[in-house]
Amino acid sequence: MDSDNNCTLYPAQGYQIFRNVLSHSWLQSTRDAAESVIQHYRENGPFGRENDVSLGELAQSRPQRNPGVDGSKWINEPFIIGDLLTQDGHFVSLLAEQALWSIAARLLATEIGQVIFHYSNLTRKPAGIGPSIVWHRDAENTYFCPNNDRLLRLLIPLQGMSRENGGTAVVPGSHLDTKIDKTTLDEHTVIHPELAAGDVLAIHSQLLHGGAPNRSHRERDVLIMQFGVAGATFRHQEVLELGALHPRGTFMQLLK
Ligand SMILES: O=C(O)CCC(=O)C(=O)O
């Protein structure tokens, strides 16, 4: 149902899976870069940067998101690490890759030269202690959101992701009905796409999505990149991460 690299499902479903976008070697080097950033966070603790979220601090401030987890033990465990391009040059190389921009251009219905990068982060649900992610639409985000709602998030799991390890859950078609109440969702309308490491899950800005805590023995690290279209004005632009608002050409130049 969901594997369709021609994007024909996206208009009706509001999400699309692209299989094997990261090759084995890209996947391995991305995992290595993610591991080094995670390790740095563990050794140095929360950096106090607005774009990072500690798993322990989240568990303390919103215990309902992570039942049974004692936040005080996990202050140095990252839940979200943002501004990835400043953290490791590998993420700059990855962002220069055409495949990600081609997907963004097709789903945003524009030319690849009109696509711009907004921001990226690593969103983690570590084995056994990963928190839930509440139901939301990305167009509601107050971090980085254009007035025209033309944004697209690409989620790239670095390990296989499914319902079992707190994989991203979606409500197909909910992008077409923004009146659906996210507080009273019928669970029969929810699906949990199964992704292999290196697949890409593209999410429409109005699609309802979220996910349960990870209480499995499997890690779940997801690289997230948000793209938009050049020329938009913004209703929220909390932080300009390195590379924000730039097209692919900038990242290719940085590699020279
Ligand atoms: O990590 C996930 O499962 C979902 C992340 C997400 O919802 C988002 O970035 O908007």
Side-chain angles (χ1 to χ4, degrees):
M1 183 174 89
D2 33 45
S3 173
D4 166 12
N5 283 359
N6 291 320
C7 309
T8 53
L9 294 175
Y10 184 77
Q13 307 273 17
Y15 73 95
Q16 181 96 32
I17 296 174
F18 298 85
R19 302 287 180 193
N20 299 313
V21 175
L22 292 201
S23 66
H24 183 73
S25 61
W26 268 116
L27 184 58
Q28 197 48 54
S29 48
T30 305
R31 278 190 188 133
D32 290 347
E35 196 46 49
S36 124
V37 169
I38 291 166
Q39 204 46 42
H40 186 261
Y41 189 106
R42 285 181 181 144
E43 284 162 14
N44 295 281
F47 304 125
R49 301 183 319 154
E50 283 174 73
N51 26 32
D52 292 344
V53 181
S54 146
L55 191 142
E57 287 174 351
L58 180 80
Q60 288 177 328
S61 63
R62 297 199 174 82
Q64 71 283 7
R65 298 259 316 260
N66 216 346
V69 170
D70 176 357
S72 67
K73 293 188 179 151
W74 300 105
I75 297 299
N76 281 29
E77 186 64 25
F79 166 45
I80 295 177
I81 302 178
D83 207 0
L84 289 176
L85 307 194
T86 61
Q87 307 276 309
D88 192 303
H90 173 77
F91 295 108
V92 178
S93 319
L94 186 61
L95 249 189
E97 275 298 284
Q98 167 139 5
L100 301 172
W101 296 82
S102 299
I103 292 172
R106 284 155 73 194
L107 298 186
L108 288 167
T110 190
E111 300 295 318
I112 203 164
Q114 291 300 307
V115 178
I116 55 167
F117 173 68
H118 283 175
Y119 71 89
S120 66
N121 68 49
L122 190 62
T123 298
R124 306 182 59 244
K125 291 189 181 180
I129 55 166
S132 65
I133 292 183
V134 292
W135 290 106
H136 65 282
R137 297 180 155 93
D138 290 337
E140 296 165 346
N141 93 77
T142 55
Y143 185 66
F144 210 94
C145 193
N147 282 316
N148 61 11
D149 287 351
R150 283 182 86 190
L151 65 86
L152 177 77
R153 279 203 199 156
L154 301 185
L155 277 54
I156 311 175
L158 303 184
Q159 301 88 17
M161 173 166 94
S162 64
R163 181 174 200 160
E164 187 214 348
N165 63 343
T168 312
V170 301
V171 181
S174 54
H175 63 306
L176 299 174
D177 183 358
T178 52
K179 293 204 179 65
I180 296 174
D181 181 355
K182 61 188 174 195
T183 61
T184 55
L185 273 184
D186 172 355
E187 71 176 58
H188 295 104
T189 62
V190 174
I191 69 153
H192 298 81
E194 297 213 357
L195 284 100
D199 289 348
V200 169
L201 173 63
I203 303 268
H204 187 284
S205 65
Q206 295 288 1
L207 186 80
L208 273 172
H209 60 289
N214 180 10
R215 295 295 181 260
S216 77
H217 297 293
R218 294 166 55 210
E219 295 295 326
R220 203 227 67 154
D221 297 328
V222 174
L223 179 60
I224 296 179
M225 293 178 178
Q226 181 172 304
F227 295 91
V229 179
T233 55
F234 283 78
R235 62 173 169 270
H236 298 290
Q237 209 174 54
E238 195 168 309
V239 179
L240 278 187
E241 295 191 358
L242 183 67
L245 304 176
H246 284 269
R248 177 175 176 234
T250 303
F251 303 97
M252 292 166 71
Q253 285 292 330
L254 283 172
L255 294 182
K256 286 189 180 156

